[in-house]
């Protein structure tokens, strides 16, 4: 039995196809126009209702895969980046982050693999003190951030990596980090490694662990990130 479609069926298919193409164009434009990875939630707010954002982005990713610019995923966000095999032809920006010292690389690796982690815990893993300057360099690069405060005596500040860290190193999520043996082979983890030093489960940037409290306005002032609020009345 031959199933003959009517004109209305063909018109509906045509409209659906056109809507899908238009949704792809909108998503492509939004990511292209942004200097930072664009979250899927942001795309969903601006695309037509009932559109499968993930399916659209995966189709675009496949379309850009053989090109000089690739569409890459960073956590739950998307960005256009130069194809990895062509990065050598791109002139480095004069403002590129300067080459990190071995100490900074080691601290960065420990934070990435052991977050949330305090400065005291970093020093315990490395076996040496960590200077404030080393942490400042990593924070200025945008790769490390204050996460929260540990619910222990003294309420030490916890540290973690950022989405910019994943983006810079071409990682979709933390589980894409290289293995510990690779890091040891590269000389990035030559200190004493505790038995519980494992790759953490990927967490969203704003997600705190059970033993962390959020950073407050008072905490930021105490850490010197904000000027103290005036107590005088206007």
């Amino acid at each position: 039995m031959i199933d003959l479609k009517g004109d209305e069926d063909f018109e509906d298919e045509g409209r659906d196809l056109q809507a899908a193409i238009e949704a792809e164009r909108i998503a492509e434009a939004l990511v292209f126009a942004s200097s930072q990875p664009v979250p899927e939630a942001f795309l969903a707010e601006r695309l037509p209702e009932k559109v499968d954002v993930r399916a659209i982005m995966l189709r675009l990713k496949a379309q850009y895969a053989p090109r000089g610019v690739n569409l890459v995923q960073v956590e739950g966000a998307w960005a256009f980046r130069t194809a990895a095999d062509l990065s050598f032809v791109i002139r480095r920006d004069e403002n590129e982050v300067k080459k990190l010292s071995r100490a900074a690389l080691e601290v960065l690796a420990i934070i990435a693999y052991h977050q949330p982690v305090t400065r005291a815990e970093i020093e315990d893993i490395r076996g040496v003190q960590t200077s404030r300057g080393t942490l400042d360099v990593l924070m200025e690069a945008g790769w490390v951030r204050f996460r929260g405060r540990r619910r222990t005596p003294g309420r030490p500040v916890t540290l973690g990596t950022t989405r910019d860290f994943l983006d810079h190193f071409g990682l979709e999520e933390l589980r894409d980090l290289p293995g510990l043996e690779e890091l040891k082979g590269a000389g990035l983890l030559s200190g004493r490694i505790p038995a519980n030093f494992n790759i953490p489960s990927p967490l969203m940037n704003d997600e705190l662990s059970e033993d962390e409290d959020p950073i407050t306005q008072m905490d930021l002032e105490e850490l010197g990130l904000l000027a103290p609020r005036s107590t005088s009345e206007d």
Side-chain angles (χ1 to χ4, degrees):
M1 181 177 180
I2 300 176
D3 183 15
L4 297 177
K5 293 184 178 181
D7 291 341
E8 291 184 0
D9 293 328
F10 283 113
E11 289 178 1
D12 290 341
E13 288 184 358
R15 283 194 293 268
D16 291 342
L17 178 59
Q18 186 60 38
I21 293 174
E22 186 64 14
E24 286 187 7
R25 294 181 65 242
I26 294 173
E28 184 179 30
L30 289 171
V31 177
F32 180 81
S34 176
S35 60
Q36 298 293 327
V38 180
E40 287 186 6
F42 179 88
L43 295 172
E45 292 175 356
R46 286 153 180 79
L47 292 176
E49 293 184 3
K50 299 182 180 180
V51 167
D52 189 336
V53 177
R54 173 54 63 91
I56 287 176
M57 301 313 294
L58 291 177
R59 284 199 299 271
L60 284 173
K61 180 179 179 180
Q63 293 171 22
Y64 276 91
R67 302 182 184 178
V69 174
N70 297 156
L71 181 63
V72 300
Q73 186 177 5
V74 184
E75 289 186 322
W78 295 86
F80 283 113
R81 294 292 181 260
T82 303
D85 61 327
L86 297 179
S87 59
F88 71 96
V89 302
I90 305 299
R91 180 182 301 175
R92 294 189 174 185
D93 192 287
E94 294 180 357
N95 296 322
E96 184 179 356
V97 176
K98 63 181 180 180
K99 185 176 181 180
L100 296 179
S101 65
R102 177 169 175 172
L105 285 172
E106 185 166 325
V107 170
L108 178 61
I110 291 172
I111 293 174
Y113 280 84
H114 205 50
Q115 60 187 296
V117 62
T118 66
R119 179 174 174 178
E121 290 166 344
I122 294 172
E123 293 175 347
D124 183 56
I125 292 171
R126 297 184 65 221
V128 296
Q129 288 189 337
T130 299
S131 70
R132 178 59 188 265
T134 298
L135 291 175
D136 286 343
V137 167
L138 297 176
M139 289 187 172
E140 289 172 5
W143 298 341
V144 169
R145 67 183 178 90
F146 292 123
R147 283 176 49 95
R149 306 205 77 157
R150 186 70 53 76
R151 294 174 184 172
T152 56
R155 300 184 67 244
V157 175
T158 57
L159 301 164
T161 54
T162 65
R163 178 175 287 168
D164 285 345
F165 163 78
L166 296 176
D167 190 23
H168 182 87
F169 290 98
L171 305 171
E172 289 189 7
E173 54 187 14
L174 289 178
R175 65 164 55 105
D176 293 329
L177 286 164
L180 294 181
E181 293 305 319
E182 295 177 65
L183 288 177
K184 291 177 183 177
L188 298 182
L189 288 178
S190 57
R192 174 170 55 87
I193 307 301
N196 65 342
F197 189 82
N198 297 311
I199 297 176
S201 298
L203 300 173
M204 295 300 291
N205 283 343
D206 58 353
E207 185 177 346
L208 297 173
S209 62
E210 293 181 356
D211 65 346
E212 286 180 286
D213 288 321
I215 293 284
T216 65
Q217 172 85 13
M218 185 177 298
D219 293 327
L220 294 175
E221 294 174 4
E222 180 184 328
L223 295 168
L225 300 180
L226 289 178
R229 288 173 294 183
S230 176
T231 57
S232 63
E233 305 236 349
D234 292 334

